[in-house]
Short mmCIF file of all heavy atoms in Angstrom, two decimals:
data_model
loop_
_atom_site.label_atom_id
_atom_site.label_comp_id
_atom_site.label_asym_id
_atom_site.label_seq_id
_atom_site.Cartn_x
_atom_site.Cartn_y
_atom_site.Cartn_z
N LYS A 77 -8.01 12.38 -7.41
CA LYS A 77 -8.45 11.05 -8.07
C LYS A 77 -8.10 9.93 -6.95
O LYS A 77 -8.79 9.05 -6.86
CB LYS A 77 -7.70 10.72 -9.32
CG LYS A 77 -8.19 11.54 -10.49
CD LYS A 77 -7.39 11.18 -11.75
CE LYS A 77 -7.78 12.15 -12.85
NZ LYS A 77 -6.86 11.91 -14.06
N ILE A 78 -6.94 10.14 -6.30
CA ILE A 78 -6.58 9.12 -5.29
C ILE A 78 -7.57 9.02 -4.13
O ILE A 78 -7.85 7.94 -3.66
CB ILE A 78 -5.07 9.34 -4.76
CG1 ILE A 78 -4.64 8.18 -3.84
CG2 ILE A 78 -4.97 10.58 -4.10
CD1 ILE A 78 -4.40 6.86 -4.52
N PHE A 79 -8.06 10.11 -3.82
CA PHE A 79 -9.12 10.14 -2.68
C PHE A 79 -10.41 9.61 -3.15
O PHE A 79 -11.18 9.04 -2.34
CB PHE A 79 -9.31 11.64 -2.18
CG PHE A 79 -7.95 12.23 -1.68
CD1 PHE A 79 -7.61 13.43 -2.17
CD2 PHE A 79 -7.10 11.65 -0.79
CE1 PHE A 79 -6.48 14.14 -1.84
CE2 PHE A 79 -5.89 12.18 -0.50
CZ PHE A 79 -5.57 13.48 -0.97
N ASP A 80 -10.72 9.71 -4.43
CA ASP A 80 -11.95 9.14 -4.99
C ASP A 80 -11.79 7.67 -5.03
O ASP A 80 -12.63 6.90 -4.60
CB ASP A 80 -12.17 9.74 -6.40
CG ASP A 80 -13.51 9.27 -6.94
OD1 ASP A 80 -14.43 9.14 -6.17
OD2 ASP A 80 -13.63 9.10 -8.17
N MET A 81 -10.51 7.09 -5.53
CA MET A 81 -10.26 5.76 -5.55
C MET A 81 -10.30 5.04 -4.16
O MET A 81 -10.81 3.96 -3.99
CB MET A 81 -8.94 5.54 -6.26
CG MET A 81 -8.93 5.76 -7.68
SD MET A 81 -7.24 5.85 -8.50
CE MET A 81 -6.17 4.77 -7.52
N SER A 82 -9.77 5.78 -3.12
CA SER A 82 -9.68 5.21 -1.75
C SER A 82 -10.97 5.24 -1.10
O SER A 82 -11.18 4.59 0.01
CB SER A 82 -8.62 5.93 -1.03
OG SER A 82 -9.04 7.29 -0.70
N GLY A 83 -11.94 6.06 -1.54
CA GLY A 83 -13.28 6.19 -0.90
C GLY A 83 -13.28 7.34 0.14
O GLY A 83 -14.35 7.72 0.64
N HIS A 84 -12.15 7.96 0.32
CA HIS A 84 -12.09 9.16 1.22
C HIS A 84 -12.97 10.37 0.73
O HIS A 84 -13.66 10.95 1.51
CB HIS A 84 -10.63 9.57 1.42
CG HIS A 84 -9.80 8.66 2.33
ND1 HIS A 84 -9.13 7.69 1.69
CD2 HIS A 84 -9.68 8.58 3.71
CE1 HIS A 84 -8.51 6.99 2.63
NE2 HIS A 84 -8.81 7.51 3.78
N LEU A 85 -12.98 10.64 -0.57
CA LEU A 85 -13.71 11.70 -1.09
C LEU A 85 -15.15 11.53 -0.94
O LEU A 85 -15.88 12.49 -0.52
CB LEU A 85 -13.36 11.80 -2.59
CG LEU A 85 -13.49 13.12 -3.27
CD1 LEU A 85 -12.69 14.19 -2.51
CD2 LEU A 85 -13.13 13.14 -4.70
N ALA A 86 -15.70 10.32 -1.04
CA ALA A 86 -17.11 10.10 -0.89
C ALA A 86 -17.59 10.32 0.53
O ALA A 86 -18.60 10.74 0.75
CB ALA A 86 -17.53 8.64 -1.46
N HIS A 87 -16.72 9.97 1.46
CA HIS A 87 -17.11 10.08 2.91
C HIS A 87 -16.62 11.42 3.58
O HIS A 87 -17.30 11.81 4.50
CB HIS A 87 -16.57 8.91 3.70
CG HIS A 87 -17.03 7.58 3.22
ND1 HIS A 87 -18.29 7.16 3.58
CD2 HIS A 87 -16.52 6.59 2.51
CE1 HIS A 87 -18.57 6.03 3.05
NE2 HIS A 87 -17.53 5.62 2.42
N TYR A 88 -15.52 11.97 3.08
CA TYR A 88 -14.94 13.11 3.88
C TYR A 88 -14.74 14.36 3.05
O TYR A 88 -14.06 15.31 3.54
CB TYR A 88 -13.63 12.66 4.49
CG TYR A 88 -13.68 11.42 5.28
CD1 TYR A 88 -13.10 10.22 4.81
CD2 TYR A 88 -14.32 11.32 6.51
CE1 TYR A 88 -13.21 9.09 5.52
CE2 TYR A 88 -14.45 10.21 7.24
CZ TYR A 88 -13.88 9.07 6.69
OH TYR A 88 -13.93 7.90 7.45
N ALA A 89 -15.26 14.48 1.80
CA ALA A 89 -14.99 15.57 0.95
C ALA A 89 -15.37 16.91 1.63
O ALA A 89 -14.67 17.92 1.52
CB ALA A 89 -15.78 15.49 -0.29
N ASP A 90 -16.41 16.93 2.39
CA ASP A 90 -16.79 18.26 3.07
C ASP A 90 -15.75 18.64 4.12
O ASP A 90 -15.66 19.81 4.49
CB ASP A 90 -18.12 18.10 3.77
CG ASP A 90 -19.26 17.96 2.73
OD1 ASP A 90 -19.08 18.26 1.52
OD2 ASP A 90 -20.41 17.52 3.14
N ASP A 91 -14.97 17.76 4.65
CA ASP A 91 -13.99 18.12 5.64
C ASP A 91 -12.57 18.02 5.15
O ASP A 91 -11.53 18.21 5.91
CB ASP A 91 -14.08 17.05 6.82
CG ASP A 91 -15.40 17.08 7.52
OD1 ASP A 91 -15.86 18.19 7.80
OD2 ASP A 91 -16.08 16.03 7.79
N MET A 92 -12.41 17.94 3.87
CA MET A 92 -11.11 17.89 3.24
C MET A 92 -10.70 19.24 2.62
O MET A 92 -11.64 19.99 2.18
CB MET A 92 -10.97 16.84 2.11
CG MET A 92 -11.05 15.36 2.76
SD MET A 92 -11.09 14.14 1.35
CE MET A 92 -9.48 14.32 0.65
N PHE A 93 -9.40 19.50 2.50
CA PHE A 93 -8.98 20.78 1.87
C PHE A 93 -8.70 20.44 0.41
O PHE A 93 -7.67 19.90 0.02
CB PHE A 93 -7.76 21.27 2.57
CG PHE A 93 -7.32 22.60 2.16
CD1 PHE A 93 -8.17 23.75 2.43
CD2 PHE A 93 -6.16 22.91 1.41
CE1 PHE A 93 -7.75 25.05 1.99
CE2 PHE A 93 -5.77 24.12 1.04
CZ PHE A 93 -6.56 25.18 1.31
N LEU A 94 -9.61 20.81 -0.49
CA LEU A 94 -9.53 20.54 -1.86
C LEU A 94 -9.65 21.78 -2.69
O LEU A 94 -10.30 22.73 -2.30
CB LEU A 94 -10.72 19.62 -2.36
CG LEU A 94 -10.76 18.27 -1.67
CD1 LEU A 94 -12.13 17.69 -1.87
CD2 LEU A 94 -9.71 17.34 -2.17
N TRP A 95 -8.93 21.91 -3.85
CA TRP A 95 -9.03 23.05 -4.70
C TRP A 95 -8.76 22.75 -6.11
O TRP A 95 -8.19 21.67 -6.39
CB TRP A 95 -8.15 24.27 -4.17
CG TRP A 95 -6.68 23.96 -4.27
CD1 TRP A 95 -5.90 24.43 -5.23
CD2 TRP A 95 -5.85 23.12 -3.39
NE1 TRP A 95 -4.59 23.96 -5.01
CE2 TRP A 95 -4.52 23.31 -3.82
CE3 TRP A 95 -6.12 22.55 -2.21
CZ2 TRP A 95 -3.52 22.61 -3.20
CZ3 TRP A 95 -5.10 21.92 -1.51
CH2 TRP A 95 -3.71 21.96 -2.08
N GLU A 96 -8.95 23.60 -7.02
CA GLU A 96 -8.53 23.48 -8.51
C GLU A 96 -7.22 24.05 -8.59
O GLU A 96 -6.99 25.21 -8.39
CB GLU A 96 -9.60 24.24 -9.37
CG GLU A 96 -11.02 23.69 -9.25
CD GLU A 96 -11.19 22.32 -9.80
OE1 GLU A 96 -10.53 22.06 -10.77
OE2 GLU A 96 -12.00 21.56 -9.21
N HIS A 97 -6.32 23.25 -9.12
CA HIS A 97 -4.96 23.57 -9.42
C HIS A 97 -4.83 24.11 -10.84
O HIS A 97 -5.78 24.03 -11.63
CB HIS A 97 -4.06 22.47 -9.22
CG HIS A 97 -2.47 22.69 -9.14
ND1 HIS A 97 -2.00 23.67 -8.38
CD2 HIS A 97 -1.48 22.22 -9.78
CE1 HIS A 97 -0.71 23.65 -8.55
NE2 HIS A 97 -0.34 22.86 -9.42
N ASP A 98 -3.76 24.59 -11.19
CA ASP A 98 -3.42 25.05 -12.61
C ASP A 98 -3.88 24.09 -13.64
O ASP A 98 -3.68 22.90 -13.47
CB ASP A 98 -1.98 25.35 -12.86
CG ASP A 98 -1.41 26.59 -12.03
OD1 ASP A 98 -2.27 27.37 -11.56
OD2 ASP A 98 -0.16 26.56 -11.79
N GLY A 99 -4.66 24.48 -14.63
CA GLY A 99 -5.12 23.61 -15.62
C GLY A 99 -6.36 22.88 -15.23
O GLY A 99 -6.90 21.87 -15.91
N GLY A 100 -6.97 23.28 -14.08
CA GLY A 100 -8.27 22.70 -13.67
C GLY A 100 -8.25 21.35 -12.97
O GLY A 100 -9.16 20.74 -12.71
N GLN A 101 -6.96 20.91 -12.69
CA GLN A 101 -6.85 19.71 -11.93
C GLN A 101 -7.20 19.85 -10.53
O GLN A 101 -6.75 20.72 -9.82
CB GLN A 101 -5.32 19.25 -12.04
CG GLN A 101 -5.00 17.91 -11.34
CD GLN A 101 -3.50 17.49 -11.36
OE1 GLN A 101 -2.64 18.43 -11.21
NE2 GLN A 101 -3.25 16.40 -11.69
N ARG A 102 -8.07 18.94 -9.96
CA ARG A 102 -8.57 18.96 -8.65
C ARG A 102 -7.55 18.30 -7.70
O ARG A 102 -7.22 17.12 -7.96
CB ARG A 102 -9.94 18.35 -8.50
CG ARG A 102 -10.53 18.63 -7.20
CD ARG A 102 -12.00 18.11 -7.16
NE ARG A 102 -12.66 18.44 -5.97
CZ ARG A 102 -13.63 17.77 -5.45
NH1 ARG A 102 -14.14 16.72 -6.09
NH2 ARG A 102 -14.18 18.16 -4.28
N VAL A 103 -7.04 19.01 -6.79
CA VAL A 103 -6.02 18.54 -5.87
C VAL A 103 -6.43 18.69 -4.44
O VAL A 103 -7.41 19.43 -4.16
CB VAL A 103 -4.64 19.10 -6.13
CG1 VAL A 103 -4.10 18.86 -7.39
CG2 VAL A 103 -4.69 20.64 -5.90
N GLY A 104 -5.71 18.12 -3.42
CA GLY A 104 -6.02 18.20 -2.02
C GLY A 104 -4.96 17.84 -1.22
O GLY A 104 -4.03 17.11 -1.59
N LEU A 105 -5.01 18.27 0.06
CA LEU A 105 -4.03 17.76 1.11
C LEU A 105 -4.55 16.48 1.54
O LEU A 105 -5.73 16.30 1.94
CB LEU A 105 -3.97 18.79 2.24
CG LEU A 105 -3.48 20.27 1.84
CD1 LEU A 105 -3.45 21.17 2.98
CD2 LEU A 105 -2.12 20.19 1.09
N LYS A 106 -3.53 15.65 1.73
CA LYS A 106 -3.99 14.30 2.11
C LYS A 106 -4.44 14.36 3.60
O LYS A 106 -3.85 14.90 4.51
CB LYS A 106 -2.75 13.28 1.99
CG LYS A 106 -1.59 13.54 2.96
CD LYS A 106 -0.62 12.34 2.74
CE LYS A 106 0.60 12.62 3.69
NZ LYS A 106 1.55 11.57 3.56
N PRO A 107 -5.58 13.70 3.91
CA PRO A 107 -6.12 13.61 5.30
C PRO A 107 -5.43 12.53 6.05
O PRO A 107 -5.45 12.57 7.32
CB PRO A 107 -7.61 13.28 5.06
CG PRO A 107 -7.67 12.56 3.73
CD PRO A 107 -6.48 13.14 2.94
N MET A 108 -4.86 11.53 5.46
CA MET A 108 -4.22 10.48 6.04
C MET A 108 -3.27 9.79 5.08
O MET A 108 -3.35 10.07 3.87
CB MET A 108 -5.18 9.46 6.62
CG MET A 108 -6.17 8.90 5.65
SD MET A 108 -7.49 7.92 6.32
CE MET A 108 -8.30 9.13 7.51
N SER A 109 -2.45 8.98 5.50
CA SER A 109 -1.35 8.43 4.55
C SER A 109 -1.66 7.15 3.87
O SER A 109 -1.03 6.83 2.88
CB SER A 109 -0.12 8.17 5.52
OG SER A 109 0.43 9.27 5.98
N CYS A 110 -2.82 6.46 4.22
CA CYS A 110 -3.03 5.14 3.63
C CYS A 110 -3.27 5.19 2.10
O CYS A 110 -2.66 4.30 1.45
CB CYS A 110 -4.22 4.43 4.25
SG CYS A 110 -5.71 5.47 4.52
N PRO A 111 -3.83 6.22 1.45
CA PRO A 111 -3.87 6.20 -0.06
C PRO A 111 -2.43 6.17 -0.62
O PRO A 111 -2.26 5.45 -1.63
CB PRO A 111 -4.69 7.42 -0.43
CG PRO A 111 -5.53 7.71 0.81
CD PRO A 111 -4.70 7.32 1.94
N CYS A 112 -1.56 6.97 -0.04
CA CYS A 112 -0.21 7.03 -0.52
C CYS A 112 0.53 5.76 -0.35
O CYS A 112 1.33 5.28 -1.20
CB CYS A 112 0.58 8.20 0.12
SG CYS A 112 -0.07 9.76 -0.35
N HIS A 113 0.28 5.14 0.81
CA HIS A 113 0.93 3.77 1.09
C HIS A 113 0.42 2.78 0.07
O HIS A 113 1.24 1.87 -0.37
CB HIS A 113 0.67 3.34 2.53
CG HIS A 113 1.33 4.25 3.49
ND1 HIS A 113 0.97 4.25 4.79
CD2 HIS A 113 2.40 5.11 3.41
CE1 HIS A 113 1.80 5.11 5.47
NE2 HIS A 113 2.61 5.68 4.59
N CYS A 114 -0.80 2.83 -0.33
CA CYS A 114 -1.32 1.93 -1.39
C CYS A 114 -0.53 2.17 -2.69
O CYS A 114 -0.31 1.16 -3.37
CB CYS A 114 -2.79 2.06 -1.52
SG CYS A 114 -3.79 1.49 -0.08
N ILE A 115 -0.29 3.32 -3.02
CA ILE A 115 0.46 3.65 -4.22
C ILE A 115 1.91 2.98 -4.08
O ILE A 115 2.27 2.31 -5.06
CB ILE A 115 0.58 5.16 -4.53
CG1 ILE A 115 -0.88 5.67 -4.89
CG2 ILE A 115 1.52 5.47 -5.61
CD1 ILE A 115 -0.88 7.24 -4.94
N MET A 116 2.51 3.30 -3.00
CA MET A 116 3.87 2.72 -2.81
C MET A 116 3.84 1.22 -2.82
O MET A 116 4.70 0.56 -3.52
CB MET A 116 4.39 3.19 -1.49
CG MET A 116 4.74 4.68 -1.31
SD MET A 116 5.31 5.04 0.30
CE MET A 116 5.75 6.70 0.15
#
Side-chain angles (χ1 to χ4, degrees):
K77 290 177 189 175
I78 185 69
F79 306 126
D80 190 33
M81 290 170 27
S82 68
H84 289 89
L85 205 55
H87 295 285
Y88 307 111
D90 292 343
D91 297 316
M92 293 175 65
F93 189 67
L94 302 162
W95 70 96
E96 297 294 322
H97 191 53
D98 292 339
Q101 182 182 40
R102 191 171 185 206
V103 296
L105 297 181
K106 69 177 182 181
M108 53 190 62
S109 296
C110 47
C112 293
H113 292 162
C114 290
I115 293 172
M116 290 178 175

